[in-house]
Amino acid sequence: MHQDRQERAEDGLQEGLGTFQGLSPAEAVAVLALLEEHEEPLLSHSVAFAEHLERELRELEQANLQAILSSEQQLAQLMGALDEALAEVGRLEQSLQVCEELLGAVRHRMDHIHQESSLLQRLASNSSRLMDEILLLTVRYRKLQAVAEQLILFETLKQNFESSFISHITNIFELQGNSQVPALGGTVAAPGHRPHHEELLPFTPLMAWLRSSNPALFWDLSKVYSQNFGRLYEREIRALFEQAKISLSGRRKGSLQETWEKPAGSRQPRWSLPRSRDSQEDALARGSMSRVLEQVLSELQPLCTSEQQFLQEFFCLGCGSVELEVRGSATKAGEPTAAPEDPPCSKSQSQAEEDTTQLLSEIFSCLEPELRAFLDVCGKAQPLGCLQVLVALSDSVLGTRGLSSSPSSSFLHSLLGNVLLLAKSNLNKCIGTLCKEMEEAKPASRTRGGILPCVSRFQELVALSEEMFQTCQRRGELDRAQLRLASSVLSSISSLSSANLKVNTDMVMMENFHHIHNFLCQRNIPCLEGKKREAEQRCREHMEKYISTYVGQPLERLKHFFEGVKARLAQGVKEEELSFQLAYSKQELRKVIEKYPGKEVKRALESLYRTMHKHLSPEGNLLPVVWQAMEQGFIQQYQEFEELIQRCYAGAGIALDFTMEDLLSYFNSITMANM
């Protein structure tokens, strides 16, 4: 086998010699380095060496092939990325082309707008120059005698026409102002003036002409209108409020007048509230007054609004000189009196509003006094009527009663705002009077306790005010009023004097503070949360004072004895030496304890329970709470007595005649017997 390999190597050598090619110097150096790596002689391992070279050649060729393939993949990825970039560039070119088209359209429109603006400026300039030329020609023409004569004739005709027109329109004003007020038929309603307005509106172009030609006569004519229509509105408004007063009282006019003309001493105090048996009737009366108030205010809204709109149209209030010329020229050709779009105004908007308000104030000069008088009647008709008036006015001013569906009248809005301020002032006075009466109210002579009248009044006032304000959006005034009332009633309770009470003052205060706290918990009024906590705190304080006063009664002599013991200890007497003092000896303590056997203690507790049951009112439902607190206080007192006996009389074999278990059974049996 070795011989065969050698033969094949020789044959290969012979074939190689036939195609021999010289090595370059670099190749020769590489061959020598390769030969030096092999230590054994090349002739003995030539075949293995050739095979080794062949394997390395194959590995190099394989690596070369893999490198070629890897570079082709990267080249393919590079070509794909280039294709995507070219596609994105194409899309960008399309977007730029669309933007260029849009900009071209905008550029075209801007050029068109610029051309139109130039034309408008040129038109305005030509109009101004034309008006200057016309004025110049007019001045020149007036110098002509014929033109002067025509102008004199025209002025004469104009004055004659003005006199005739003013006389005619004044007659219409007087006839309408002297018209009879239609019968209301028992309903609270204001008559409309649409027929009167429709009769006058055809003269609007002439009024515009008169205003531009002779402003003095025009404003004199507006005063004539306000005087005549002021008398008409005065009769109608008075009739409206008289009917409202009749509807408010449900009586005839004479009896209503008698009601409010009674002497002050013959009526109930202003803060006196209805008794429970009259609550249903009183609720109906409040509902009736609320409906009458709403009806009156809803009638005033269209009345003032329609008149304001008519004045602005008929007297051309707020119109500029161009619009006046258009309206005046319409009389010549019989054209409608439409104003041009966006006319220039010679008067500011504020001046036009002032003119309108001035005319409306003259026409409705009696409205505010009559409204104030009517609201004063409403305020006296029911307890806290001023609060109901405030609610109705607030709703009207804020538009919560449906009045916002019609066009608003700035004049009426301002008037209602003034009356609303008066209503707030009246409410503050009323609440001030109520607070003063509650603070100064004294219980009846030798009162036996229970819920004080001022507390009942406070509850009724709060309940009534909440009922009135349930539809109102703003509670600011109500919250302030309720806070003042709560402060007054708490102050009134705190100022109770034992001279006017047959029972313990702390018990009366405790019960009334507890009653107010329960009431405020039921009502859950946010603004009175602080007062609710204050009432709870004061109730707790007076309950503690009441318990401390009565808890010692069943064991009164024991209490006095141990109070003396504590006093001696506080003075520095040692506990083990205290029993050697004569007044606090063991014998004295035994004598005192013998007076309080268990049966006697139970009888004393039963007597205490009957006393508490007699003093506490049933509506307060406070007896179980106080009795439980009394039990806790009695137990603490018992534990204190036991502790002092253990400390000062240890080893003497002294103990109370009843135990803690006995004491608990006494309280439990008394509670069960009175359930």
Side-chain angles (χ1 to χ4, degrees), residues 271-274 384 387 431 434-435 437-439 441 451-467 478-493 512-525 527-532 534-535:
W271 72 299
S272 296
L273 294 174
L384 284 186
L387 187 61
I431 296 300
L434 292 172
C435 292
E437 292 177 354
M438 288 170 56
E439 291 172 0
I451 305 304
L452 298 174
C454 63
V455 175
S456 301
R457 296 290 192 274
F458 169 73
Q459 291 181 231
E460 293 168 349
L461 287 169
V462 171
L464 183 57
S465 62
E466 286 292 323
E467 178 185 348
L478 177 63
D479 290 345
R480 285 189 286 272
Q482 289 180 344
L483 278 173
R484 292 176 64 187
L485 291 172
S487 300
S488 296
V489 73
L490 294 179
S491 175
S492 179
I493 297 173
N512 282 273
F513 282 129
H514 176 76
H515 195 72
I516 291 178
H517 176 260
N518 282 348
F519 171 74
L520 295 180
C521 288
Q522 295 171 3
R523 284 290 174 176
N524 193 23
I525 302 174
C527 70
L528 297 181
E529 284 296 319
K531 299 300 179 183
K532 181 177 72 176
E534 181 181 350

Side-chain angles (χ1 to χ4, degrees), residues 20-145:
F20 177 79
Q21 186 178 359
L23 297 176
S24 63
E27 292 175 343
V29 172
V31 169
L32 291 176
L34 181 63
L35 292 176
E36 290 177 358
E37 292 179 1
H38 300 273
E39 298 178 356
E40 296 182 4
L42 294 175
L43 293 176
S44 60
H45 297 284
S46 59
V47 176
F49 180 66
E51 291 178 354
H52 175 71
L53 292 178
E54 186 179 358
R55 283 196 305 272
E56 287 187 353
L57 180 61
R58 284 197 302 269
E59 289 176 358
L60 290 173
E61 289 178 351
Q62 185 176 2
N64 188 25
L65 181 61
Q66 290 178 354
I68 293 172
L69 292 176
S70 175
S71 63
E72 288 180 355
Q73 292 177 357
Q74 293 177 355
L75 182 61
Q77 292 177 357
L78 179 61
M79 294 300 293
L82 290 175
D83 292 339
E84 292 179 359
L86 290 174
E88 185 65 26
V89 169
R91 287 194 294 271
L92 288 175
E93 289 179 351
Q94 292 178 359
S95 300
L96 290 174
Q97 185 177 1
V98 172
C99 293
E100 186 177 0
E101 292 176 357
L102 293 175
L103 288 174
V106 172
R107 188 183 303 110
H108 177 70
R109 292 178 183 174
M110 292 298 296
D111 294 340
H112 183 67
I113 291 173
H114 180 69
Q115 293 175 1
E116 289 184 350
S117 177
S118 300
L119 290 175
L120 290 174
Q121 292 178 358
R122 190 179 304 169
L123 181 61
S125 177
N126 291 338
S127 299
S128 177
R129 294 174 61 185
L130 180 60
M131 289 300 298
D132 293 340
E133 292 296 332
I134 291 175
L135 290 175
L136 182 60
L137 290 175
T138 303
V139 172
R140 292 176 180 175
Y141 285 153
R142 286 180 182 275
K143 295 179 180 180
L144 300 176
Q145 184 64 29

Side-chain angles (χ1 to χ4, degrees), residues 336-408:
T337 60
E341 295 183 0
D342 301 329
C345 295
S346 60
K347 283 190 175 183
S348 63
Q349 188 66 24
S350 59
Q351 182 61 42
E353 292 178 357
E354 289 178 6
D355 295 339
T356 306
T357 303
Q358 179 64 28
L359 281 176
L360 288 170
S361 299
E362 295 173 0
I363 294 171
F364 293 105
S365 59
C366 70
L367 178 56
E368 185 169 349
E370 289 291 332
L371 180 59
R372 287 173 180 260
F374 172 69
L375 295 179
D376 186 57
V377 171
C378 292
K380 297 176 181 178
Q382 293 290 332
L384 284 186
C386 55
L387 187 61
Q388 195 161 3
V389 168
L390 179 63
V391 172
L393 287 173
S394 299
D395 289 342
S396 297
V397 172
L398 297 176
T400 59
R401 291 292 186 186
L403 302 183
S404 57
S405 59
S406 59
S408 62

Side-chain angles (χ1 to χ4, degrees), residues 205-450:
L206 292 175
M207 294 296 295
W209 167 79
L210 181 63
R211 181 179 175 181
S212 61
S213 63
N214 198 332
L217 289 177
F218 172 82
W219 292 113
D220 290 341
L221 199 58
S222 66
K223 292 180 180 179
V224 174
Y225 174 85
S226 62
Q227 291 173 0
N228 285 278
F229 269 76
R231 292 196 298 269
L232 175 62
Y233 276 113
E234 182 176 359
R235 295 194 299 272
E236 293 177 349
I237 289 172
R238 286 180 177 174
L240 171 68
F241 284 114
E242 285 298 323
Q243 183 60 47
K245 292 176 184 177
I246 294 173
S247 301
L248 186 65
S249 65
R251 307 170 184 173
R252 296 187 178 276
K253 190 185 302 183
S255 60
L256 178 71
Q257 189 71 15
E258 292 172 1
T259 301
W260 302 114
E261 289 181 355
K262 285 182 178 180
S266 62
R267 297 200 300 264
Q268 286 184 327
R270 292 187 63 183
W271 72 299
S272 296
L273 294 174
R275 294 179 293 273
S276 58
R277 64 173 178 269
D278 300 329
S279 58
Q280 184 175 4
E281 179 182 352
D282 219 53
L284 294 174
R286 286 195 300 274
S288 175
M289 187 172 77
S290 178
R291 288 191 297 272
V292 172
L293 276 170
E294 293 176 13
Q295 183 65 26
V296 168
L297 295 174
S298 64
E299 289 295 325
L300 294 179
Q301 177 75 11
L303 188 71
C304 295
T305 302
S306 62
E307 185 63 30
Q308 177 173 333
Q309 293 174 345
F310 170 75
L311 291 176
Q312 291 173 343
E313 182 176 0
F314 183 70
F315 289 101
C316 308
L317 300 177
C319 297
S321 57
V322 175
E323 186 176 356
L324 290 175
E325 291 177 4
V326 172
R327 290 191 177 188
S329 62
T331 59
K332 300 177 182 179
E335 298 174 353
T337 60
E341 295 183 0
D342 301 329
C345 295
S346 60
K347 283 190 175 183
S348 63
Q349 188 66 24
S350 59
Q351 182 61 42
E353 292 178 357
E354 289 178 6
D355 295 339
T356 306
T357 303
Q358 179 64 28
L359 281 176
L360 288 170
S361 299
E362 295 173 0
I363 294 171
F364 293 105
S365 59
C366 70
L367 178 56
E368 185 169 349
E370 289 291 332
L371 180 59
R372 287 173 180 260
F374 172 69
L375 295 179
D376 186 57
V377 171
C378 292
K380 297 176 181 178
Q382 293 290 332
L384 284 186
C386 55
L387 187 61
Q388 195 161 3
V389 168
L390 179 63
V391 172
L393 287 173
S394 299
D395 289 342
S396 297
V397 172
L398 297 176
T400 59
R401 291 292 186 186
L403 302 183
S404 57
S405 59
S406 59
S408 62
S409 169
S410 57
F411 167 77
L412 181 61
H413 185 80
S414 176
L415 186 146
L416 290 178
N418 294 335
V419 179
L420 180 61
L421 292 177
L422 177 64
K424 291 181 179 180
S425 176
N426 290 339
L427 176 63
N428 289 333
K429 292 178 182 177
C430 178
I431 296 300
T433 302
L434 292 172
C435 292
K436 184 177 180 181
E437 292 177 354
M438 288 170 56
E439 291 172 0
E440 296 178 353
K442 302 299 181 184
S445 178
R446 310 304 294 171
T447 299
R448 292 183 176 274

Side-chain angles (χ1 to χ4, degrees), residues 144-155:
L144 300 176
Q145 184 64 29
V147 174
E149 292 176 356
Q150 289 295 325
L151 289 175
I152 293 173
L153 177 60
F154 174 75
E155 186 66 25

